[in-house]
Structures are given as structure tokens and as C-alpha cells.
Coordinates of all heavy atoms in Angstrom, one line a residue:
M1 N 0.8 -1.2 0.0 CA 0.0 0.0 0.0 C 0.8 1.3 0.0 O 0.5 2.2 -0.8 CB -0.9 0.0 1.2 CG -2.3 -0.5 1.0 SD -3.1 -0.3 -0.5 CE -4.8 0.0 0.0
P2 N 1.9 1.4 0.9 CA 2.7 2.7 0.8 C 3.2 3.0 -0.6 O 3.3 4.1 -1.0 CB 3.8 2.4 1.8 CG 3.3 1.3 2.7 CD 2.4 0.5 1.9
V3 N 3.6 1.9 -1.3 CA 4.2 2.1 -2.6 C 3.1 2.6 -3.6 O 3.4 3.5 -4.4 CB 4.9 0.7 -3.2 CG1 5.4 0.9 -4.5 CG2 6.0 0.3 -2.3
L4 N 2.0 2.0 -3.5 CA 0.9 2.4 -4.4 C 0.5 3.9 -4.2 O 0.4 4.6 -5.1 CB -0.4 1.5 -4.1 CG -1.7 1.9 -4.8 CD1 -1.5 1.7 -6.3 CD2 -2.9 1.1 -4.3
F5 N 0.5 4.3 -2.8 CA 0.2 5.7 -2.6 C 1.2 6.6 -2.9 O 1.0 7.8 -3.3 CB -0.3 5.8 -1.1 CG -1.8 5.5 -1.0 CD1 -2.2 4.1 -0.9 CD2 -2.8 6.5 -1.2 CE1 -3.5 3.8 -0.9 CE2 -4.1 6.1 -1.1 CZ -4.5 4.8 -1.0
A6 N 2.5 6.2 -2.8 CA 3.6 7.0 -3.3 C 3.5 7.2 -4.8 O 3.7 8.3 -5.3 CB 5.0 6.3 -3.0
F7 N 3.2 6.1 -5.5 CA 3.0 6.2 -7.0 C 1.8 7.2 -7.3 O 2.0 8.0 -8.2 CB 2.7 4.7 -7.5 CG 2.1 4.7 -8.9 CD1 3.0 5.0 -10.0 CD2 0.8 4.5 -9.2 CE1 2.4 5.0 -11.3 CE2 0.3 4.5 -10.5 CZ 1.1 4.7 -11.5
L8 N 0.7 7.1 -6.6 CA -0.5 7.9 -6.9 C -0.1 9.4 -6.6 O -0.5 10.3 -7.3 CB -1.7 7.5 -6.1 CG -2.3 6.2 -6.4 CD1 -3.4 5.8 -5.4 CD2 -2.8 6.2 -7.8
H9 N 0.8 9.6 -5.5 CA 1.2 10.9 -5.2 C 2.0 11.5 -6.4 O 1.8 12.6 -6.8 CB 2.2 10.8 -4.0 CG 2.4 12.0 -3.2 ND1 1.5 12.8 -2.5 CD2 3.6 12.8 -3.0 CE1 2.0 13.8 -2.0 NE2 3.3 13.8 -2.3
H10 N 2.9 10.7 -6.9 CA 3.7 11.2 -8.1 C 2.8 11.4 -9.3 O 2.9 12.4 -10.0 CB 4.8 10.2 -8.4 CG 6.0 10.2 -7.5 ND1 5.9 9.6 -6.2 CD2 7.2 10.7 -7.6 CE1 7.1 9.8 -5.6 NE2 7.9 10.5 -6.5
L11 N 1.9 10.5 -9.5 CA 1.0 10.5 -10.7 C 0.2 11.8 -10.6 O 0.0 12.5 -11.7 CB 0.1 9.3 -10.7 CG -0.8 9.1 -11.9 CD1 0.1 8.8 -13.1 CD2 -1.8 8.0 -11.8
T12 N -0.3 12.2 -9.4 CA -1.2 13.4 -9.4 C -0.3 14.6 -9.5 O -0.8 15.6 -10.2 CB -2.0 13.5 -8.0 OG1 -1.1 13.2 -7.0 CG2 -3.2 12.5 -8.0
F13 N 0.8 14.7 -9.0 CA 1.6 16.0 -9.2 C 2.2 16.1 -10.6 O 2.3 17.2 -11.2 CB 2.6 16.4 -8.1 CG 3.9 15.6 -7.9 CD1 4.9 15.9 -8.9 CD2 4.1 14.8 -6.9 CE1 6.1 15.2 -8.8 CE2 5.3 14.2 -6.8 CZ 6.3 14.4 -7.7
I14 N 2.4 14.9 -11.2 CA 2.9 15.0 -12.6 C 1.7 15.4 -13.5 O 1.9 16.2 -14.4 CB 3.5 13.7 -13.1 CG1 4.8 13.4 -12.4 CG2 3.7 13.6 -14.6 CD1 5.4 12.1 -12.5
T15 N 0.5 14.9 -13.2 CA -0.7 15.4 -13.9 C -0.8 16.9 -13.8 O -1.2 17.6 -14.8 CB -2.0 14.7 -13.3 OG1 -1.8 13.3 -13.4 CG2 -3.2 15.1 -14.1
M16 N -0.6 17.4 -12.6 CA -0.7 18.9 -12.4 C 0.2 19.6 -13.3 O -0.1 20.6 -13.9 CB -0.6 19.2 -11.0 CG -1.7 18.8 -10.1 SD -1.5 19.3 -8.4 CE -1.6 21.1 -8.5
I17 N 1.5 19.1 -13.3 CA 2.5 19.8 -14.1 C 2.1 19.8 -15.6 O 2.2 20.8 -16.3 CB 3.9 19.1 -13.9 CG1 4.4 19.5 -12.5 CG2 4.9 19.7 -14.9 CD1 5.5 18.6 -12.0
V18 N 1.6 18.6 -16.1 CA 1.2 18.5 -17.5 C 0.1 19.5 -17.8 O 0.1 20.2 -18.8 CB 0.8 17.0 -17.8 CG1 0.2 17.0 -19.2 CG2 2.0 16.1 -17.7
V19 N -0.9 19.5 -17.0 CA -2.1 20.3 -17.2 C -1.7 21.8 -17.1 O -2.2 22.6 -17.9 CB -3.2 19.9 -16.1 CG1 -4.2 20.9 -16.0 CG2 -3.8 18.6 -16.5
L20 N -0.8 22.2 -16.2 CA -0.4 23.6 -16.1 C 0.3 24.0 -17.4 O 0.2 25.1 -17.8 CB 0.5 23.8 -14.9 CG -0.2 23.9 -13.5 CD1 0.8 23.8 -12.4 CD2 -1.0 25.2 -13.5
T21 N 1.1 23.1 -17.9 CA 1.8 23.4 -19.2 C 0.8 23.5 -20.3 O 0.9 24.5 -21.1 CB 2.8 22.2 -19.5 OG1 3.6 22.0 -18.4 CG2 3.6 22.6 -20.7
M22 N -0.2 22.7 -20.3 CA -1.3 22.8 -21.4 C -2.0 24.2 -21.2 O -2.3 24.9 -22.2 CB -2.3 21.7 -21.2 CG -1.8 20.4 -21.7 SD -2.8 19.0 -21.2 CE -4.1 19.2 -22.5
Q23 N -2.2 24.6 -20.0 CA -2.8 25.9 -19.8 C -2.0 27.0 -20.3 O -2.5 27.9 -21.0 CB -3.1 26.1 -18.3 CG -4.4 25.5 -17.8 CD -4.8 26.0 -16.4 OE1 -4.0 26.6 -15.7 NE2 -6.0 25.8 -16.0
L24 N -0.7 26.9 -20.0 CA 0.2 28.0 -20.5 C 0.2 28.1 -22.0 O 0.2 29.1 -22.6 CB 1.6 27.7 -20.1 CG 2.1 28.3 -18.8 CD1 3.5 27.9 -18.5 CD2 2.0 29.8 -18.8
V25 N 0.2 26.9 -22.7 CA 0.2 26.9 -24.2 C -1.1 27.5 -24.7 O -1.1 28.3 -25.6 CB 0.4 25.4 -24.7 CG1 0.2 25.3 -26.2 CG2 1.8 24.9 -24.3
L26 N -2.2 27.0 -24.1 CA -3.6 27.5 -24.5 C -3.7 29.0 -24.3 O -4.3 29.7 -25.2 CB -4.7 26.7 -23.8 CG -4.9 25.4 -24.2 CD1 -5.9 24.6 -23.3 CD2 -5.6 25.3 -25.6
L27 N -3.2 29.5 -23.2 CA -3.3 31.0 -22.9 C -2.4 31.8 -23.8 O -2.6 33.0 -24.0 CB -3.0 31.2 -21.4 CG -4.1 30.8 -20.5 CD1 -3.6 30.9 -19.1 CD2 -5.4 31.6 -20.6
G28 N -1.4 31.1 -24.4 CA -0.5 31.9 -25.3 C -1.1 32.0 -26.7 O -0.6 32.8 -27.5
Q29 N -2.2 31.3 -27.0 CA -2.9 31.4 -28.3 C -4.0 32.4 -28.2 O -4.5 32.6 -27.1 CB -3.4 30.0 -28.7 CG -2.4 28.9 -28.9 CD -3.0 27.5 -29.0 OE1 -4.1 27.3 -28.9 NE2 -2.1 26.6 -29.3
P30 N -4.4 32.9 -29.4 CA -5.6 33.8 -29.4 C -6.8 33.0 -28.9 O -7.0 31.9 -29.2 CB -5.7 34.2 -30.8 CG -4.6 33.7 -31.6 CD -3.9 32.7 -30.7
L31 N -7.6 33.7 -28.0 CA -8.8 33.0 -27.4 C -9.9 32.8 -28.4 O -10.3 33.7 -29.2 CB -9.2 33.8 -26.3 CG -10.2 33.1 -25.3 CD1 -9.5 31.9 -24.6 CD2 -10.7 34.1 -24.2
S32 N -10.3 31.5 -28.6 CA -11.5 31.3 -29.4 C -12.4 30.4 -28.6 O -12.1 30.0 -27.5 CB -11.0 30.4 -30.6 OG -10.4 29.2 -30.2
L33 N -13.6 30.1 -29.1 CA -14.6 29.3 -28.4 C -13.9 27.9 -28.1 O -14.1 27.4 -27.0 CB -15.9 29.2 -29.3 CG -17.0 28.5 -28.5 CD1 -17.4 29.4 -27.3 CD2 -18.2 28.4 -29.5
Q34 N -13.3 27.4 -29.1 CA -12.7 26.0 -29.0 C -11.6 26.0 -27.9 O -11.6 25.1 -27.0 CB -12.0 25.6 -30.3 CG -12.0 24.1 -30.5 CD -11.3 23.8 -31.8 OE1 -10.7 24.6 -32.4 NE2 -11.5 22.5 -32.2
S35 N -10.7 27.1 -27.9 CA -9.6 27.1 -26.9 C -10.2 27.4 -25.5 O -9.7 26.9 -24.5 CB -8.5 28.0 -27.3 OG -9.0 29.4 -27.2
A36 N -11.3 28.2 -25.4 CA -11.9 28.5 -24.1 C -12.5 27.1 -23.5 O -12.4 26.9 -22.3 CB -13.0 29.5 -24.3
R37 N -13.1 26.3 -24.4 CA -13.7 25.0 -23.9 C -12.5 24.1 -23.4 O -12.7 23.5 -22.4 CB -14.4 24.3 -25.1 CG -15.7 25.0 -25.3 CD -16.8 24.0 -25.9 NE -18.0 24.6 -26.1 CZ -18.5 25.0 -27.3 NH1 -17.9 24.6 -28.4 NH2 -19.7 25.6 -27.4
K38 N -11.4 24.1 -24.2 CA -10.3 23.3 -23.8 C -9.8 23.8 -22.4 O -9.5 23.0 -21.5 CB -9.2 23.3 -24.8 CG -9.4 22.5 -26.0 CD -8.2 22.5 -27.0 CE -8.6 21.8 -28.3 NZ -7.7 22.3 -29.3
L39 N -9.7 25.1 -22.3 CA -9.2 25.7 -21.0 C -10.1 25.2 -19.8 O -9.6 25.0 -18.7 CB -9.2 27.2 -21.1 CG -7.8 27.8 -21.5 CD1 -8.0 29.3 -21.9 CD2 -6.7 27.6 -20.5
Q40 N -11.4 25.2 -20.1 CA -12.3 24.8 -19.0 C -12.1 23.4 -18.6 O -12.1 23.1 -17.4 CB -13.8 24.9 -19.6 CG -14.7 25.7 -18.8 CD -16.1 25.8 -19.5 OE1 -16.3 25.2 -20.5 NE2 -17.0 26.5 -18.8
I41 N -11.9 22.5 -19.6 CA -11.7 21.1 -19.3 C -10.4 20.9 -18.5 O -10.3 20.2 -17.5 CB -11.7 20.2 -20.6 CG1 -13.0 20.3 -21.3 CG2 -11.2 18.8 -20.3 CD1 -13.0 19.7 -22.6
V42 N -9.3 21.6 -19.1 CA -8.0 21.5 -18.4 C -8.0 22.0 -17.0 O -7.4 21.4 -16.1 CB -7.0 22.3 -19.4 CG1 -5.7 22.6 -18.6 CG2 -6.6 21.4 -20.6
D43 N -8.8 23.1 -16.8 CA -8.9 23.7 -15.5 C -9.5 22.7 -14.5 O -9.2 22.6 -13.3 CB -9.6 25.0 -15.5 CG -9.3 26.0 -14.4 OD1 -8.0 26.1 -14.2 OD2 -10.2 26.4 -13.7
R44 N -10.6 22.0 -15.0 CA -11.3 21.1 -14.1 C -10.3 19.9 -13.8 O -10.3 19.5 -12.6 CB -12.5 20.5 -14.9 CG -13.7 20.8 -14.2 CD -14.9 20.4 -15.0 NE -15.7 21.6 -15.4 CZ -16.5 21.6 -16.5 NH1 -16.7 20.6 -17.2 NH2 -17.1 22.7 -16.7
I45 N -9.5 19.4 -14.7 CA -8.5 18.4 -14.5 C -7.5 18.9 -13.4 O -7.2 18.1 -12.5 CB -7.9 17.9 -15.7 CG1 -8.9 17.3 -16.7 CG2 -6.8 16.8 -15.4 CD1 -8.3 17.0 -18.1
L46 N -7.1 20.1 -13.5 CA -6.1 20.7 -12.6 C -6.7 20.6 -11.1 O -6.1 20.3 -10.2 CB -5.8 22.1 -13.0 CG -4.8 22.9 -12.1 CD1 -3.4 22.1 -12.1 CD2 -4.6 24.3 -12.5
G47 N -8.0 21.1 -11.1 CA -8.6 21.2 -9.7 C -8.8 19.8 -9.2 O -8.5 19.5 -8.0
L48 N -9.2 18.8 -10.0 CA -9.4 17.4 -9.5 C -8.0 16.8 -9.0 O -8.0 16.1 -8.0 CB -10.0 16.6 -10.6 CG -11.5 16.8 -10.9 CD1 -12.0 16.0 -12.1 CD2 -12.3 16.5 -9.6
S49 N -7.0 17.1 -9.9 CA -5.7 16.5 -9.5 C -5.1 17.1 -8.2 O -4.5 16.4 -7.4 CB -4.7 16.5 -10.6 OG -4.6 17.7 -11.2
A50 N -5.4 18.4 -8.0 CA -5.0 19.1 -6.8 C -5.6 18.5 -5.6 O -5.0 18.2 -4.6 CB -5.1 20.6 -6.9
V51 N -7.0 18.3 -5.7 CA -7.7 17.7 -4.5 C -7.2 16.3 -4.3 O -7.0 15.9 -3.2 CB -9.2 17.8 -4.9 CG1 -10.0 17.0 -3.8 CG2 -9.8 19.2 -4.9
A52 N -7.0 15.5 -5.4 CA -6.6 14.1 -5.2 C -5.2 14.1 -4.6 O -4.9 13.3 -3.7 CB -6.5 13.5 -6.6
L53 N -4.3 15.1 -5.0 CA -3.0 15.2 -4.4 C -3.0 15.4 -2.9 O -2.4 14.8 -2.1 CB -2.1 16.2 -5.1 CG -0.7 16.5 -4.5 CD1 0.1 15.2 -4.6 CD2 -0.1 17.6 -5.3
L54 N -4.0 16.3 -2.5 CA -4.1 16.7 -1.1 C -4.7 15.5 -0.3 O -4.1 15.2 0.8 CB -5.1 17.9 -1.0 CG -5.1 18.6 0.4 CD1 -3.8 19.2 0.7 CD2 -6.2 19.7 0.4
V55 N -5.6 14.8 -0.8 CA -6.3 13.7 -0.1 C -5.2 12.6 0.0 O -5.0 12.0 1.1 CB -7.5 13.2 -0.9 CG1 -8.1 11.9 -0.3 CG2 -8.6 14.2 -0.8
I56 N -4.6 12.2 -1.1 CA -3.5 11.2 -1.1 C -2.4 11.5 -0.1 O -1.9 10.7 0.6 CB -3.0 10.9 -2.5 CG1 -4.1 10.3 -3.3 CG2 -1.8 10.0 -2.5 CD1 -3.9 10.3 -4.8
G57 N -2.0 12.8 -0.2 CA -1.0 13.3 0.8 C -1.3 13.1 2.2 O -0.5 12.5 3.0
F58 N -2.6 13.4 2.6 CA -3.0 13.2 4.0 C -3.2 11.7 4.3 O -2.9 11.3 5.4 CB -4.3 14.0 4.2 CG -4.0 15.4 4.6 CD1 -4.5 16.5 3.9 CD2 -3.2 15.8 5.8 CE1 -4.2 17.8 4.2 CE2 -2.9 17.0 6.1 CZ -3.4 18.1 5.4
L59 N -3.5 10.9 3.3 CA -3.7 9.4 3.5 C -2.3 8.9 3.8 O -2.1 8.1 4.7 CB -4.2 8.7 2.4 CG -5.8 8.9 2.2 CD1 -6.2 8.3 0.9 CD2 -6.5 8.2 3.3
R60 N -1.2 9.5 3.2 CA 0.1 9.0 3.4 C 0.5 9.4 4.8 O 1.2 8.7 5.5 CB 1.1 9.6 2.4 CG 0.8 9.1 1.0 CD 1.9 9.5 0.0 NE 3.1 8.8 0.2 CZ 4.3 9.1 -0.3 NH1 4.4 10.2 -1.0 NH2 5.3 8.3 -0.1
V61 N 0.2 10.7 5.2 CA 0.6 11.3 6.5 C 0.0 10.3 7.6 O 0.6 9.9 8.5 CB 0.1 12.7 6.7 CG1 0.2 13.1 8.1 CG2 0.9 13.6 5.8
F62 N -1.4 10.1 7.5 CA -2.1 9.4 8.6 C -2.0 7.9 8.5 O -2.1 7.3 9.6 CB -3.5 9.9 8.6 CG -3.7 11.3 9.2 CD1 -3.8 12.4 8.3 CD2 -3.7 11.5 10.5 CE1 -3.9 13.7 8.8 CE2 -3.8 12.8 11.1 CZ -3.9 13.9 10.2
L63 N -1.9 7.3 7.3 CA -2.0 5.8 7.3 C -0.8 5.1 6.7 O -0.5 4.0 7.1 CB -3.2 5.5 6.4 CG -4.6 5.9 6.9 CD1 -5.6 5.5 5.8 CD2 -4.9 5.3 8.2
F64 N -0.1 5.7 5.7 CA 0.9 4.9 5.0 C 2.4 5.3 5.2 O 3.2 4.6 4.6 CB 0.5 4.9 3.5 CG -0.8 4.4 3.2 CD1 -1.8 5.2 2.7 CD2 -1.1 3.2 3.6 CE1 -3.1 4.8 2.4 CE2 -2.5 2.6 3.4 CZ -3.4 3.5 2.8
E65 N 2.7 6.3 5.9 CA 4.1 6.6 6.1 C 4.4 6.7 7.6 O 4.0 5.9 8.3 CB 4.4 7.9 5.3 CG 4.2 7.9 3.8 CD 5.2 7.0 3.1 OE1 6.3 6.7 3.6 OE2 4.9 6.6 2.0
K66 N 5.1 7.8 8.0 CA 5.6 7.8 9.4 C 4.7 8.2 10.4 O 5.1 8.3 11.6 CB 6.9 8.6 9.4 CG 8.0 8.1 8.4 CD 9.2 9.0 8.4 CE 10.2 8.6 7.3 NZ 9.9 9.2 6.0
G67 N 3.5 8.7 10.0 CA 2.5 9.0 11.0 C 2.4 10.6 11.3 O 3.4 11.2 11.1
P68 N 1.2 11.1 11.7 CA 1.1 12.5 11.9 C 2.1 13.1 12.9 O 2.5 14.2 12.7 CB -0.4 12.7 12.4 CG -0.8 11.3 12.8 CD 0.1 10.3 12.1
G69 N 2.4 12.4 14.0 CA 3.3 12.8 15.0 C 4.7 13.3 14.3 O 5.3 14.3 14.7
Y70 N 5.1 12.5 13.4 CA 6.4 12.9 12.7 C 6.2 14.0 11.8 O 7.0 15.0 11.9 CB 6.8 11.6 11.8 CG 8.0 11.9 11.0 CD1 9.3 11.8 11.5 CD2 7.9 12.3 9.6 CE1 10.4 12.0 10.8 CE2 9.1 12.6 8.9 CZ 10.3 12.4 9.4 OH 11.4 12.7 8.7
Y71 N 5.2 14.1 11.0 CA 5.1 15.1 9.9 C 4.7 16.5 10.5 O 5.2 17.5 10.1 CB 4.1 14.8 8.8 CG 4.6 13.6 8.0 CD1 4.0 12.3 8.1 CD2 5.7 13.7 7.2 CE1 4.5 11.3 7.4 CE2 6.2 12.7 6.5 CZ 5.7 11.5 6.6 OH 6.1 10.4 5.9
F72 N 3.8 16.5 11.6 CA 3.4 17.8 12.1 C 4.4 18.4 13.0 O 4.2 19.5 13.5 CB 2.0 17.6 12.7 CG 0.9 17.4 11.7 CD1 0.1 16.2 11.7 CD2 0.7 18.3 10.7 CE1 -0.8 16.0 10.7 CE2 -0.3 18.1 9.7 CZ -1.0 16.9 9.8
H73 N 5.5 17.7 13.3 CA 6.6 18.3 14.0 C 7.8 18.5 13.1 O 9.0 18.6 13.5 CB 7.1 17.4 15.1 CG 6.1 17.4 16.2 ND1 5.1 16.5 16.4 CD2 5.9 18.2 17.3 CE1 4.3 16.8 17.4 NE2 4.8 17.8 18.0
N74 N 7.5 18.6 11.7 CA 8.5 18.7 10.7 C 8.4 20.0 10.0 O 7.3 20.2 9.3 CB 8.5 17.5 9.8 CG 9.5 17.5 8.7 OD1 9.8 18.5 8.2 ND2 10.1 16.3 8.5
G75 N 9.3 21.0 10.1 CA 9.2 22.3 9.5 C 9.1 22.2 7.9 O 8.3 23.0 7.4
I76 N 9.8 21.3 7.4 CA 9.8 21.2 5.9 C 8.4 20.8 5.5 O 7.8 21.3 4.5 CB 10.8 20.1 5.4 CG1 12.2 20.4 5.9 CG2 10.7 19.9 3.9 CD1 12.9 21.5 5.2
F77 N 7.7 19.9 6.2 CA 6.4 19.5 5.9 C 5.4 20.7 6.0 O 4.6 20.9 5.1 CB 5.9 18.3 6.8 CG 4.5 17.9 6.5 CD1 4.2 17.1 5.3 CD2 3.4 18.3 7.3 CE1 2.9 16.8 5.0 CE2 2.1 17.9 6.9 CZ 1.9 17.2 5.8
H78 N 5.5 21.4 7.1 CA 4.7 22.6 7.2 C 4.9 23.6 6.0 O 3.9 24.2 5.5 CB 5.0 23.3 8.6 CG 4.4 22.6 9.8 ND1 3.0 22.8 10.0 CD2 4.9 21.8 10.7 CE1 2.7 22.1 11.1 NE2 3.8 21.5 11.5
A79 N 6.1 23.8 5.7 CA 6.5 24.7 4.5 C 5.8 24.2 3.3 O 5.2 25.0 2.5 CB 8.0 24.8 4.4
K80 N 5.9 22.9 3.0 CA 5.4 22.3 1.8 C 3.8 22.4 1.8 O 3.3 22.9 0.8 CB 5.7 20.8 1.8 CG 5.1 20.0 0.7 CD 5.7 18.6 0.7 CE 4.8 17.6 0.1 NZ 5.5 16.4 -0.2
L81 N 3.2 22.2 2.9 CA 1.7 22.2 3.0 C 1.3 23.7 2.8 O 0.3 24.0 2.1 CB 1.3 21.7 4.3 CG -0.2 21.3 4.4 CD1 -0.6 20.3 3.3 CD2 -0.5 20.7 5.8
T82 N 2.0 24.7 3.5 CA 1.6 26.1 3.4 C 1.7 26.5 1.9 O 0.8 27.2 1.4 CB 2.6 26.9 4.3 OG1 2.5 26.3 5.6 CG2 2.1 28.4 4.3
L83 N 2.8 26.2 1.3 CA 3.1 26.6 -0.1 C 2.0 26.0 -1.0 O 1.4 26.7 -1.9 CB 4.4 26.2 -0.6 CG 5.6 27.0 -0.1 CD1 7.0 26.4 -0.5 CD2 5.5 28.5 -0.5
F84 N 1.7 24.8 -0.8 CA 0.6 24.1 -1.6 C -0.8 24.8 -1.4 O -1.5 25.2 -2.3 CB 0.4 22.7 -1.1 CG -0.6 21.8 -1.9 CD1 -0.2 21.4 -3.2 CD2 -1.9 21.7 -1.5 CE1 -1.2 20.7 -4.0 CE2 -2.8 21.0 -2.2 CZ -2.4 20.5 -3.5
L85 N -1.1 25.2 -0.1 CA -2.3 25.9 0.2 C -2.4 27.3 -0.4 O -3.4 27.7 -0.9 CB -2.6 25.8 1.7 CG -2.9 24.4 2.2 CD1 -3.1 24.5 3.8 CD2 -4.1 23.7 1.6
I86 N -1.2 28.0 -0.3 CA -1.2 29.3 -0.9 C -1.4 29.2 -2.4 O -2.2 30.1 -3.0 CB 0.2 30.0 -0.6 CG1 0.3 30.4 0.9 CG2 0.4 31.3 -1.4 CD1 1.7 30.9 1.3
A87 N -0.7 28.3 -3.1 CA -0.9 28.1 -4.5 C -2.4 27.8 -4.9 O -3.0 28.3 -5.8 CB 0.0 27.1 -5.0
A88 N -3.0 27.0 -4.0 CA -4.4 26.6 -4.3 C -5.3 27.8 -4.1 O -6.2 28.0 -5.0 CB -4.8 25.5 -3.2
V89 N -5.1 28.6 -3.1 CA -6.0 29.7 -2.9 C -5.8 30.7 -4.0 O -6.8 31.3 -4.6 CB -5.7 30.4 -1.5 CG1 -6.4 31.8 -1.3 CG2 -6.1 29.5 -0.3
L90 N -4.5 31.0 -4.4 CA -4.2 32.0 -5.4 C -4.9 31.5 -6.7 O -5.4 32.3 -7.5 CB -2.7 32.1 -5.6 CG -2.0 33.0 -4.6 CD1 -0.5 33.0 -4.9 CD2 -2.5 34.4 -4.6
S91 N -4.8 30.2 -7.0 CA -5.4 29.7 -8.3 C -6.9 29.8 -8.3 O -7.5 29.8 -9.3 CB -4.8 28.3 -8.7 OG -5.7 27.3 -8.1
I92 N -7.5 29.7 -7.1 CA -9.0 29.8 -7.0 C -9.4 31.3 -7.2 O -10.3 31.6 -7.9 CB -9.5 29.3 -5.7 CG1 -9.3 27.7 -5.7 CG2 -11.0 29.6 -5.5 CD1 -9.5 27.1 -4.3
V93 N -8.7 32.2 -6.4 CA -9.0 33.6 -6.4 C -8.7 34.3 -7.7 O -9.5 35.1 -8.2 CB -8.3 34.3 -5.2 CG1 -8.5 35.8 -5.2 CG2 -8.9 33.8 -3.9
C94 N -7.5 34.1 -8.2 CA -7.1 34.9 -9.5 C -7.6 34.3 -10.8 O -7.9 33.2 -10.9 CB -5.5 34.9 -9.5 SG -4.8 35.7 -8.1
Ligands
HEM101 C1 2.5 20.0 -5.6 C2 2.5 19.5 -4.4 C3 3.5 18.3 -4.0 C4 4.5 17.8 -4.5 C5 5.2 18.3 -5.8 C6 5.0 16.7 -3.7 C7 6.1 15.9 -4.0 C8 6.6 14.9 -3.2 C9 7.8 14.2 -3.4 C10 8.7 14.3 -4.6 C11 8.0 13.3 -2.4 C12 9.1 12.3 -2.1 C13 8.9 11.0 -2.8 C14 7.8 10.1 -2.1 O1 8.1 9.7 -1.0 O2 6.8 9.9 -2.7 C15 6.8 13.5 -1.5 C16 6.6 12.8 -0.3 C17 5.5 13.0 0.5 N1 4.5 13.9 0.4 FE1 4.3 15.2 -1.1 N2 4.1 16.5 -2.6 C18 3.2 17.5 -2.7 C19 2.1 17.8 -1.9 C20 1.9 17.1 -0.7 C21 0.8 17.3 0.2 C22 -0.3 18.4 0.0 C23 0.9 16.4 1.2 C24 0.1 16.2 2.5 C25 -1.1 16.7 2.6 C26 2.1 15.5 0.9 C27 2.5 14.5 1.7 C28 3.7 13.8 1.5 C29 4.1 12.7 2.4 C30 3.5 12.2 3.6 C31 5.3 12.2 1.8 C32 6.2 11.1 2.3 C33 7.4 11.7 3.0 C34 8.4 10.7 3.6 O3 9.0 9.9 2.8 O4 8.3 10.7 4.9 N3 2.7 16.0 -0.3 N4 6.0 14.5 -2.0

């Protein structure tokens, strides 16, 4: 199970990187009805993969890795979670 969830963790953040790249390419082109529809789909996939990454991350914290006691006393983990949440809020608001 830990390996499966580590794989899913990688899969979700790689999906996010691919989808963000697609957004950059689409936004670099003149906006048309077709590209606006594509942007809508790509944005939905980005949202879903971000939620999946967060859920899978917390499952790893609580069930499949070193446990919450370890991670919630780890500054690097706090920094990572804070940056992730700031990016999530900015992408919802902007
Ligand atoms: C874009 C956001 C993120 C990226 C790029 C990312 C990337 C990574 C990478 C490269 C690893 C090391 C390889 C591995 O063990 O799988 C890792 C480990 C881990 N991540 Fe993330 N992660 C992100 C978000 C999160 C979030 C939001 C959480 C928790 C809610 C989380 C929880 C964990 C845990 C528990 C580990 C295992 C650490 C250990 O080995 O003790 N990650 N992450």
C-alpha cells in the first residue's frame, strides 16, 4: 500500500504539471470558443488532481508513512503544505 500511494502521489503531481503546461500553451494562443472550452476542461482536471494530491498526501501522512506525529513536527512538511495551500488559494481567487 505505501508504494501504491507513493505512486499515486507522483502521478497526481505529474498530472498537475502537464495540465499547467497545457494551460500555458492555450493561454499563449488567441482566445477562441474552442480554446476556451479546452481551458475549461484542463482547469477542471487541474482542480481534481490538486484535490486528489491533497487527499492522497493526507492518507500518506495518517496511514501509510511515518504518522502525523512525525510530519506535524517537521518544518519542511509545514512549509510544503503552506506553499501548496497558498498556490491553491491563489489559483482559485485569481
Ligand atoms: C505539488 C505538491 C506536492 C509535490 C510536488 C509533492 C512531492 C513529493 C515528493 C517528490 C515526495 C518524495 C517521494 C515520495 O516519497 O513519494 C513526497 C513525499 C511525501 N509527500 Fe508530497 N508533494 C506535494 C504535496 C503534498 C501534500 C499536499 C501532502 C500532504 C497533505 C504531501 C505529503 C507527502 C508525504 C506524507 C510524503 C512522504 C514523505 C516521507 O518519505 O516521509 N505531499 N512528496
